[in-house]
Amino acid sequence: MATHTARVVGDDCVVTLSGEIDMSNSSEVETWLNDAIEHNGCSRLEVDLGPLDFLDSFGIRALLRGRERADSAGVAYRLTNPNALVERILRTLGLYDHLTTW
């Protein structure tokens, strides 16, 4: 199960993801990210993974699709605060730098 909170700080949006992102809820996560990109008028989207416990390949796909949508909308996008497991997964796949820098 995954949950999220979203807040707007000036031109920045912050979506905090918690729980587990997997096959059962990755489309919901994509919707949360898409809503933040399209409906808040933000120029930057920070996806805070601090409370996130786990993600599988579907979760990674959701985060990558969020990046693609942000790029096409002209919104800067980055992941922050991944735990050691999530960071290791992203580094192993060669995605860490792509997803954690503006």
Side-chain angles (χ1 to χ4, degrees), residues 4-17 32 35-37 40-42 44-48 51 80-81:
H4 83 293
T5 59
R7 60 186 159 84
V8 178
V9 180
D11 290 340
D12 295 346
C13 294
V14 179
V15 173
T16 302
L17 301 175
W32 298 336
D35 287 348
I37 292 164
N40 289 321
C42 297
R44 298 192 312 178
L45 173 60
E46 177 181 316
V47 183
D48 181 0
T80 59
N81 302 317

Side-chain angles (χ1 to χ4, degrees), residues 40-58:
N40 289 321
C42 297
S43 60
R44 298 192 312 178
L45 173 60
E46 177 181 316
V47 183
D48 181 0
L49 303 180
L52 188 69
D53 299 318
F54 173 81
L55 80 158
D56 68 5
S57 61
F58 287 88

Side-chain angles (χ1 to χ4, degrees), residues 17-73:
L17 301 175
S18 58
E20 299 182 356
I21 304 174
D22 57 26
M23 182 175 71
S24 69
N25 59 18
S26 62
S27 62
E28 190 174 14
V29 172
E30 287 184 43
T31 299
W32 298 336
L33 297 175
N34 194 44
D35 287 348
I37 292 164
E38 293 186 2
H39 301 295
N40 289 321
C42 297
S43 60
R44 298 192 312 178
L45 173 60
E46 177 181 316
V47 183
D48 181 0
L49 303 180
L52 188 69
D53 299 318
F54 173 81
L55 80 158
D56 68 5
S57 61
F58 287 88
I60 293 165
R61 183 183 68 183
L63 297 175
L64 283 169
R65 285 187 175 171
R67 176 68 187 241
E68 290 170 358
R69 285 192 184 103
D71 287 348
S72 57

